[in-house]
Amino acid sequence: MKHLIIIAALFVSALTTAQANYEQGMQKAFELWGSNNPTEASNLFERIAKAEPDNWLPLYYAAQINIVRSFGEKNEEKLSAQLKKAQNLINDAMAISKDNPEILVLQALLHTAWVAFDGATYGMTLSGKVVELYTKAEMLAPNNPRVVYCKAEWHIGGAKYFGQDTKPFCKDLEHALELFANFKPETPFSPNWGKERAEMLWRSCKE
């Protein structure tokens, strides 16, 4: 009985240590990203993912960094390398957490990065996939503010590209801001981004 108690205590201690290491690692990765060290942050998220094989969040953030960096990239070879890496990370995250609206939004943003790079080449092949991803994400999580805001921004971008009125999508941004006001992430490290961008787009709508 004494041995069982000792083993149980050691097991609990190991779990506590692992959780503390995870939290410290994630915080450090976010700090690196926030201090304009995206490569180091992405690498750290990937290392955390290897230590946390059942956790989709480190993979998600490593992919997100590569996607965010791709917007505005002019070098196609560099863009392709970043987005290929991001796609592999997304695939691994999806294998852990299927039908996850947050990951679906990230996949849509990856496709959007290609469309933003060359709309004439990638618009026809990827636009339908982006709409399909947002539609699925909205069905799974209609009150997720990132789903609503990112879908609205996609439609605003499309309207601008084709010279159409963007105002019809402003109500969706307003709805997204309402959702952001009441949104509570499931864990301290769960996705909680997008509010500032949605507010900026909303202000543009009113101009």
Side-chain angles (χ1 to χ4, degrees):
M1 185 67 180
K2 183 179 179 181
H3 291 302
L4 288 175
I5 292 171
I6 292 171
I7 291 169
L10 289 171
F11 180 70
V12 170
S13 176
L15 285 178
T16 304
T17 301
Q19 182 65 19
N21 289 340
Y22 166 71
E23 291 175 356
Q24 289 171 7
M26 291 291 281
Q27 288 168 355
K28 178 63 176 176
F30 281 118
E31 287 171 7
L32 286 168
W33 193 4
S35 58
N36 200 30
N37 291 293
T39 301
E40 292 86 342
S42 179
N43 290 339
L44 181 51
F45 279 126
E46 288 187 65
R47 290 198 297 273
I48 296 169
K50 289 177 181 177
E52 298 276 336
D54 297 324
N55 190 338
W56 61 274
L57 285 169
L59 293 163
Y60 171 94
Y61 288 115
Q64 187 183 23
I65 289 172
N66 282 280
I67 292 168
V68 170
R69 294 172 71 190
S70 296
F71 283 95
E73 177 60 57
K74 303 299 182 185
N75 185 309
E76 186 168 6
E77 186 176 340
K78 186 176 180 181
L79 177 84
S80 181
Q82 287 177 175
L83 292 181
K84 183 178 180 180
K85 183 176 185 179
Q87 186 63 68
N88 289 334
L89 292 162
I90 287 174
N91 292 345
D92 290 343
M94 283 185 171
I96 295 169
S97 182
K98 300 181 187 302
D99 294 331
N100 185 321
E102 300 285 5
I103 301 175
L104 293 174
V105 167
L106 204 59
Q107 180 69 75
L109 289 174
L110 187 149
H111 291 330
T112 303
W114 277 115
V115 175
F117 174 73
D118 187 348
T121 300
Y122 298 104
M124 289 292 290
T125 57
L126 295 178
S127 292
K129 292 181 180 180
V130 172
V131 172
E132 185 178 318
L133 285 161
Y134 283 134
T135 299
K136 183 177 180 179
E138 197 167 37
M139 287 176 63
L140 291 167
N143 294 321
N144 183 304
R146 269 165 302 289
V147 172
V148 177
Y149 128 69
C150 287
K151 182 182 179 184
E153 183 169 18
W154 165 259
H155 285 302
I156 288 171
K160 286 181 178 178
Y161 184 80
F162 291 107
Q164 299 170 346
D165 186 14
T166 61
K167 296 295 183 184
F169 306 109
C170 290
K171 66 180 185 303
D172 296 322
L173 288 173
E174 186 175 7
H175 179 47
L177 290 175
E178 292 170 356
L179 294 174
F180 271 118
N182 299 304
F183 180 79
K184 292 181 180 178
E186 292 181 13
T187 73
F189 298 117
S190 294
N192 194 25
W193 55 270
K195 183 179 179 181
E196 293 78 10
R197 175 73 176 172
E199 287 173 339
M200 186 190 76
L201 292 169
W202 169 237
R203 288 194 296 270
S204 298
C205 268
K206 297 193 292 183
E207 292 176 355

